[in-house]
Amino acid sequence: MGIKVKVTDLHKAYGDNEVLKGINLEVQENEVVVMIGPSGSGKSTFLRTLNKLENPTTGSIAIDGIDLTAKETNLNKVRENIGMVFQHFNLFPHLTVLENVTLAPVELGKISKEEAKTLGMQLLAQVGLADKADAKPTQLSGGQKQRVAIARALAMKPSIMLFDEPTSALDPEMVGEVLKVMRDLAQEGMTMIVVTHEMGFAKQVADRVVFFADGYIREEGTPEEVFGNPQDPRAKDFLNKVLNV
Amino acid sequence: MMKKHTWLKYSWLMVTMLFGMIIFNTTTAQADTKEPHYVIATDTTYAPFEFQGQNGQYVGIDMDMLRAIAKKEHFTYKLVPIAFNSGAQGVLSGQFDAIIAGMTITPEREQVYDFGTPYYKTGIIAAVSPKSNITDLKQLRGKTVALKTGTGSAQYALSIQKKYGFKVTYFNDSNTMYNAVALGNAAAAFEDDPVMKYAIKNGVKLKIITQPANGGEYGFAVKKGQNKELLAKFNAGYAAIKKDGTYDKIVAKYLGSNESKFAGSAKENDSILGLLKQNKDQFISGVIKTLQLTVFGIIFATIFGVLIGVLAVVPNKFAYGLSSTIIYIFRGLPLLVLAFFIYIGLPSLTGTKIPAIVAGLITLTLNEGAYIAAFVAGGLKNVDAGQMEAARSLGLPYWKAMRKIIMPQGIKLMIPSFVNQFIITLKDTSILSAIGIIELTQTGTVIISRNMQGFRVWFIVALMYLIIITLLTFLAKWVDKKFSSN
């Protein structure tokens, strides 16, 4: 059990507006960390700093011991190892479903086109979409799109997966199929960091729940601790609102 | 880090190579002669001194004389027909070695040119429309007079402008100037005596109202202090053809006979089909030149435009600054000014001659390319930012993501703008006639200068442009279909 992610005193500001005010977090190998909190609390921004889609203002991020804030770090190499799933899927609309999945490993010379095709079909089968291999993203439902996006990220064989509100843009009846894929991944031992509003998923799947508010981590613990007996007043208030609708 | 820019480099290499090929092509045509070779400018439409004969070759008093002298004095030359003013400036900028274009010797010109032995005595006359009741220069008070830019006749007209109180307007070639008078847009035109007489003899509806005035002399000109050898050869050759009677024969050929044989048969001039048949070769070569300029212009402008457009979206302040400056300059400059600057202005600075077609292509590349760059930048910016983030999150380097993910989507958004720009490019090639490229528009001017059939010839030219544009639009639609079904 090694440390996959180590974040130390991370700050992020847009001009005068500081959205992350000193975040410290460690994530162990095979751990599933779910980040919850009100909108604008900084959890998505924090997730995006973990593969440098956002540049932190100060502080340090180490992934597998590699310092992302160091100038000599090859970000492309680091990113190959970190899969990311976005709220709005961001599938490549000009490519087929299979091409979406195989593009990165082929373009980066990881595997041959034939191998990529086999791998791609295997991943699409894993997310239940083998029959959609030749479809264009526009022909898919939201839930199907997000499952393709997960398969696309997995094609690079990452050792960490980041999920940025993966079900927020979905119709309610499609949330389940995406969460199932994510649950399967967790069971296989993938290290996952998930920003979500799905409290049920957090309770069932998370090893640890992290509560964000106002750019700080206010509360942290097992699902039982955080949901059952929150200490921070903001966390209490938030959970009270989302759990008792 | 090095790998990032290799495809950019390749594209640049390709552009320079293609330009190189064109320059190479145009210059090797004159290789391997022991005789000295010169580039000599002439006017495009100045019958009977220079105009294009029906076989496409330049004929006229100046042309036949130059040919006879070159033969006698053993030199070869490349003739560049170009609007008189551009030709005269081109000699000063070093673009041409000399000019022979019915050029009147004046004290002002003698300060910057060296003239050969005067070879033709002329005077300036004024003409009005046959319907006009003006019979005297005094009646021109308050009226507008048509002049040809940069000519001796224009200078003469200006010298008497105060006395007679007329206003002036300028044209770049004689035929347009005549038409302005014939159609009543100007009250009178001033022109050299033989030129005007030749035009009237060939069907231009004008009436001469004055006796030849301000008798001047035509001279062959080089830049002051330059090309002394060429000037000496001209003078020696001129003396020789004057002595052996060749000169008189040439003049008689164009002005002596009562019936002109140069304008084409009257019957064929009367119908569009006849005109087409008679000038078939010229029209074909004009269309080919226009197509060449359009196709190569589009290719180069697209490469240039895409490169500059991409620079505008790269997250780098220097690249953005460079790109927006280039777009600002070349989109802001009128195409004609840019063409003159490259063809006439640049050689004065650098001392190297640029063939007109290369100058034309560079002009199109920069101007149309700037427009393309602007909408390429816009199109790329319109691709959802999430696309770049998704590509980068997979580990794709910036340029790979740009090429594989952003550009294919952006270009799809840009296709209508591209089609539009291609049609504009085709039309803009006509502006390049000003630097002496005999494309379709210039072909029209040249044919009219011989046969004076303004309406019918412009009708044919207009029709040809429409046909080419229709074909180009079809082609674009077909490509668009292929692209979107892909």
Side-chain angles (χ1 to χ4, degrees), chain A residues 48 79 90-91 94 107, chain B residues 386-387 389 392 400 404:
Chain A
R48 289 160 57 82
R79 282 170 175 159
N90 298 354
L91 291 184
H94 60 299
E107 283 299 325
Chain B
Q387 292 290 311
E389 289 186 348
R392 296 306 303 276
K400 205 158 222 158
K404 292 284 169 182

Side-chain angles (χ1 to χ4, degrees), chain B residues 1-35:
Chain B
M1 286 304 274
M2 287 301 285
K3 265 196 176 154
K4 273 187 185 173
H5 304 290
T6 41
W7 73 276
L8 256 172
K9 273 188 199 153
Y10 277 123
S11 317
W12 265 121
L13 195 69
M14 223 171 75
V15 175
T16 29
M17 264 170 52
L18 282 166
F19 270 129
M21 269 161 60
I22 290 171
I23 297 169
F24 190 65
N25 261 336
T26 42
T27 46
T28 44
Q30 62 201 39
D32 277 358
T33 39
K34 293 250 165 62
E35 296 179 340

Side-chain angles (χ1 to χ4, degrees), chain A residues 48 51 53-54 75-77 79-80 82-84 86 88-95 100 103-104 107-108 136 152-153 156, chain B residues 1 4 384-398 400-401 403-409 412 484-486:
Chain A
R48 289 160 57 82
N51 66 352
L53 286 182
E54 300 288 348
L75 269 183
N76 293 328
K77 272 272 171 273
R79 282 170 175 159
E80 288 177 10
I82 310 172
M84 183 151 190
F86 299 85
H88 295 287
F89 332 126
N90 298 354
L91 291 184
F92 307 134
H94 60 299
L95 303 176
N100 263 276
L103 176 101
E107 283 299 325
L108 294 171
K136 281 284 176 73
R152 176 177 70 179
M156 285 304 293
Chain B
M1 286 304 274
K4 273 187 185 173
D384 179 28
Q387 292 290 311
M388 181 54 97
E389 289 186 348
R392 296 306 303 276
S393 78
L394 289 165
L396 292 179
Y398 182 85
K400 205 158 222 158
R403 214 153 28 99
K404 292 284 169 182
I405 305 301
I406 308 302
M407 300 245 287
Q409 296 181 55
K412 222 169 189 176
S484 20
S485 68
N486 213 320

Side-chain angles (χ1 to χ4, degrees), chain B residues 21 63 65 95 175 178 188 213 284 303 308 320 323 336:
Chain B
M21 269 161 60
M63 299 297 100
M65 200 170 71
Q95 185 79 284
N175 195 62
Y178 300 151
I284 289 173
I303 295 171
I308 299 301
Y320 176 77
S323 166
L336 188 58

Side-chain angles (χ1 to χ4, degrees), chain A residues 58-93:
Chain A
T58 58
S60 81
I61 305 163
I63 305 281
D64 283 329
I66 301 165
D67 182 4
L68 293 202
T69 47
K71 268 219 155 71
E72 64 275 13
T73 301
N74 182 344
L75 269 183
N76 293 328
K77 272 272 171 273
V78 176
R79 282 170 175 159
E80 288 177 10
N81 192 35
I82 310 172
M84 183 151 190
V85 175
F86 299 85
Q87 180 178 359
H88 295 287
F89 332 126
N90 298 354
L91 291 184
F92 307 134

